[in-house]
Amino acid sequence: MDRRGTATELTEVDDGPSPDERAQAGADARLGRQADWQAGGFGLYIHWPFCQAKCPYCDFNSHVTKTTPDHQGWAAALRSEMQAMRRLTGPRRLDTIFFGGGTPSLMAPATVDALIAEADRLWGLAPEPEITLEANPTSVEAEQFRAFAAGGVNRVSVGVQALDDASLRALGRLHSADEARRALAIARETFKRVSFDLIYTRMGQTPEAWCQELDAALAMAADHLSLYQLTIEPGTRFAELHARGRLSVPAPEPSAAMYEITQTLTAAAGLPAYEVSNHAVPGAESRHNLVYWRYGDYAGIGPGAHGRLTLQDGRRMATESLADPAEWLTAARRAQPGGKDASGAHRFTEVLDREAQGDEMMLMGLRLAEGVEPARFERLTGRPLPAERIAALQTDGLLALQDTPAGPRLAATARGRIVLNALLAELLA
């Protein structure tokens, strides 16, 4: 479907919630007049598309640039898109902000500061918002991190990816293992909350080697780990090499062994899996990512960013920005006050029907150890989940249905999370 055909018309720039609007939002919350998205909260994702190098496994919307971006120009364009999103959402409180990329730690701290301030002006930040910035070890400097923290960033996620130099070179990373450790030390000194990423089931990796590497990672005292199995994504350099037989990943059996090692070691260290690939000390889960997985609303800002927004008339919308940075910047400038196109037409939008919302809620929520509320699926779609399929999947040991004080919750078991795509296909068929 051509999403341009369903673009929502936007109006003039909004100056943020008025006192009356804030009062009405508070009254709605007190009286229980809550839209579905409030079960997950509201987050803002800001995409910075530039990197120092393109990793051969990466299919994210990241671009290598040889020139320094115009930070002031980009800040103005990103603010313009935030204003367009504010016109769609109306007044509400913003719970989280996430600067992703690309490499957001290449942004000027003043740009980050300005965008946080604009988000607060437009929506109003929650009393203790989570504000995360992704960083690559090659771009981590103590002074830069202190500037980000002074501007409001309170959580950092470091793209370590591996803890030995040979693996880092094979993954196309520019940093060494020692640089990664130094970056994490700076992060721990600067921020209360620190996460880092590792990729496993890498080329030639054995379960024994992964066990040793994960032990070392768990000793680094972060409160959150994102541990991803290497996947060969279409359109990447690794996909080309794999197709030509020049790159191979571990077979299913050792890969499964590495997954089991991951679950066992992280749980023993007090960082159990709260999501398929994410592990945290209880209370240190990524609140921004929980907005996604709990099927809240999030505004996606910047080139290629996606979003889910509930409009003021109750419709839920999927949004997607132009992916090419130059095209996006031109379109965003046209939408600025005084520009040629104040409608924000550079954004593709699609209104989601009730069935699509229910499916998305299940696709995201069953990734979580806490699972989902079957009653929420029924509210969204107007029909219950099929009881006979739930029973069959319970019998197979793939689903668990638990009674909680808030009502029944449905969750994938440890076995079910391994085959989650097949489980969802059966449940939602």
Side-chain angles (χ1 to χ4, degrees):
M1 178 171 62
D2 185 354
R3 297 188 195 179
R4 292 175 180 83
T6 57
T8 293
E9 184 177 354
L10 304 180
T11 57
E12 68 279 356
V13 172
D14 192 296
D15 288 328
S18 68
D20 287 346
E21 287 175 326
R22 289 183 185 272
Q24 183 61 54
D28 286 347
R30 288 193 299 274
L31 294 172
R33 293 196 291 262
Q34 294 187 335
D36 176 79
W37 65 266
Q38 289 174 294
F42 177 44
L44 171 65
Y45 174 79
I46 300 175
H47 190 77
W48 185 256
F50 302 115
C51 280
Q52 292 173 313
K54 182 72 174 180
C55 296
Y57 57 84
C58 176
D59 68 339
F60 292 171
N61 188 38
S62 58
H63 303 263
V64 178
T65 178
K66 295 181 180 179
T67 60
T68 301
D70 173 9
H71 286 268
Q72 289 187 339
W74 273 87
L78 289 164
R79 287 198 302 269
S80 174
E81 192 168 18
M82 289 165 62
Q83 292 158 7
M85 291 295 188
R86 169 59 176 77
R87 294 193 292 271
L88 291 175
T89 66
R92 59 171 66 177
R93 185 186 70 176
L94 185 61
D95 300 305
T96 66
I97 302 174
F98 194 102
F99 292 90
T103 307
S105 50
L106 296 174
M107 297 174 74
T111 301
V112 173
D113 192 1
L115 295 174
I116 294 172
E118 181 70 353
D120 191 23
R121 185 186 74 84
L122 291 171
W123 287 288
L125 293 173
E128 295 182 3
E130 178 191 86
I131 303 178
T132 302
L133 182 131
E134 289 183 333
N136 274 347
T138 48
S139 60
V140 169
E141 298 178 2
E143 184 177 350
Q144 185 96 335
F145 262 18
R146 283 194 291 269
F148 286 136
V153 174
N154 53 31
R155 181 178 181 270
V156 69
S157 177
V158 184
V160 172
Q161 313 309 1
L163 290 175
D164 70 272
D165 289 343
S167 292
L168 288 168
R169 287 192 296 271
L171 291 171
R173 305 294 287 173
L174 298 181
H175 64 272
S176 68
D178 282 344
E179 284 177 307
R181 292 185 178 93
R182 287 197 295 272
L184 285 171
I186 294 170
R188 288 195 299 268
E189 292 169 359
T190 310
F191 301 98
K192 291 183 178 180
R193 299 183 57 199
V194 176
S195 175
F196 65 92
D197 300 354
L198 289 176
I199 296 173
Y200 68 104
T201 64
R202 304 190 301 262
M203 302 81 72
Q205 191 175 40
T206 64
E208 294 75 19
W210 172 235
C211 185
Q212 293 177 2
E213 185 173 10
L214 184 54
D215 266 334
L218 290 166
M220 291 182 177
D223 60 11
H224 187 285
L225 289 175
S226 295
L227 305 173
Y228 302 107
Q229 294 193 32
L230 177 65
T231 55
I232 306 299
E233 301 291 351
T236 63
R237 175 62 175 161
F238 272 8
E240 295 177 19
L241 295 173
H242 188 263
R244 288 154 49 187
R246 295 178 56 189
L247 183 149
S248 61
V249 295
E253 187 173 336
S255 294
M258 283 185 253
Y259 176 81
E260 292 299 331
I261 287 168
T262 303
Q263 309 315 305
T264 300
L265 292 188
T266 55
L271 285 85
Y274 70 96
E275 189 269 345
V276 170
S277 300
N278 286 271
H279 306 255
V281 172
E285 298 85 357
S286 169
R287 287 164 48 196
H288 182 82
N289 286 341
L290 283 173
V291 170
Y292 302 152
W293 296 320
R294 289 173 174 165
Y295 203 50
D297 266 13
Y298 53 99
I301 306 299
H306 292 247
R308 292 293 183 273
L309 293 176
T310 302
L311 309 186
Q312 296 181 72
D313 62 9
R315 292 178 299 160
R316 200 168 207 153
M317 175 177 290
T319 70
E320 180 183 352
S321 296
L322 290 166
D324 180 82
E327 291 181 11
W328 178 89
L329 187 60
T330 297
R333 283 173 170 165
R334 284 202 305 266
Q336 290 174 12
K340 296 180 180 179
D341 181 6
S343 69
H346 58 281
R347 186 172 300 105
F348 309 147
T349 60
E350 178 183 356
V351 175
L352 300 169
D353 63 24
R354 296 178 69 185
E355 196 72 18
Q357 292 181 56
D359 286 352
E360 286 192 343
M361 188 271 288
M362 295 296 293
L363 288 167
M364 300 304 286
L366 281 182
R367 296 183 63 88
L368 291 170
E370 70 184 24
V372 298
E373 298 175 80
R376 187 180 177 198
F377 178 87
E378 186 168 357
R379 288 194 301 271
L380 282 171
T381 64
R383 64 177 179 85
L385 285 164
E388 70 282 359
R389 290 181 193 159
I390 291 176
L393 291 166
Q394 284 182 277
T395 300
D396 291 340
L398 303 177
L399 275 182
L401 187 62
Q402 298 180 334
D403 288 324
T404 73
R409 294 193 73 87
L410 187 66
T413 64
R415 281 185 56 206
R417 284 195 291 275
I418 295 173
V419 292
L420 187 58
N421 289 342
L423 185 159
L424 284 161
E426 176 64 24
L427 184 60
L428 299 175

